[in-house]
């Protein structure tokens, strides 16, 4: 009977260690002959993968897309964006708030022609889902508002 109880206790301990290790938590090792289980806390980064697009039309859902780029910021800037490093730095500075990058310029001389251009972003920013779009009256007003934005002027 004592042998059976000892076997059950050993199996329960082994199962608890396996579940703990599977959950990503390091298990303390008393024996030096076994390698320690690495923790998952170091070396991880929150994913940042975005699709940025610009197109003709007043609604992001129905625009005719003219240009699309991809942008990934972790572990290092990459994608088809023409200046991924600057775009990631700019987005990091505003904590991924795209609206903070589109500024109205008072120095621009644009016509009042209504030929809507929509810019949108969708994807994941530092682990959280994002979706953003804004519509400009025409290409001139878009260029004026995004002239200083590395992330959105592509």
């Amino acid at each position: 009977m004592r042998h059976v109880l000892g076997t059950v206790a050993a199996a329960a301990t082994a199962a608890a260690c396996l579940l703990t290790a599977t959950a990503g938590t390091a298990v303390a090792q008393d024996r030096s002959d076994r390698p320690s289980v690495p923790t998952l806390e170091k070396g991880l980064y929150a994913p940042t993968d975005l699709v940025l697009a610009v197109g003709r039309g007043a609604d992001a859902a129905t625009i005719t897309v003219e240009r699309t780029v991809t942008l990934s910021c972790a572990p290092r800037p990459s994608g088809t964006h023409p200046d991924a490093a600057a775009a990631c730095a700019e987005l990091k500075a505003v904590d991924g708030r795209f609206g903070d990058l589109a500024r109205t310029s008072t120095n621009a001389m644009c016509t009042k022609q209504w030929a809507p251009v929509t810019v949108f972003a969708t994807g994941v920013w530092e682990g959280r889902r994002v979706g953003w779009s804004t519509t400009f009256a025409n290409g001139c007003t878009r260029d004026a508002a995004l002239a200083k934005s590395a992330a959105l002027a592509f």
Side-chain angles (χ1 to χ4, degrees):
M1 181 71 150
R2 190 178 299 196
H3 177 70
V4 173
L5 290 177
T7 305
V8 170
T13 302
C17 288
L18 178 62
L19 288 174
T20 304
T22 304
T25 305
V27 176
Q29 299 284 331
D30 290 335
R31 296 174 46 186
S32 60
D33 63 333
R34 290 187 189 173
S36 63
V37 177
T39 63
L40 297 177
E41 295 171 8
K42 295 182 181 177
L44 288 182
Y45 54 88
T48 296
D49 291 304
L50 301 164
V51 175
L52 309 171
V54 63
R56 300 279 172 195
D59 181 17
T62 59
I63 66 170
T64 302
V65 176
E66 294 178 340
R67 181 162 166 81
T68 303
V69 296
T70 59
L71 179 64
S72 182
C73 295
R76 63 189 150 285
S78 62
T80 60
H81 193 287
D83 194 352
C88 289
E90 184 178 60
L91 284 167
K92 182 79 172 166
V94 297
D95 193 30
R97 292 183 308 269
F98 290 93
D100 291 355
L101 302 177
R103 295 173 175 62
T104 304
S105 175
T106 57
N107 298 332
M109 301 271 291
C110 295
T111 65
K112 294 193 184 256
Q113 173 188 12
W114 179 249
V117 176
T118 298
V119 178
F120 73 91
T122 187
V124 177
W125 172 257
E126 294 187 344
R128 67 181 188 262
R129 177 85 171 91
V130 294
W132 171 85
S133 70
T134 190
T135 300
F136 300 95
N138 54 52
C140 178
T141 58
R142 180 209 57 200
D143 293 346
L146 302 179
K148 295 182 181 179
S149 172
L152 298 177
F154 53 88

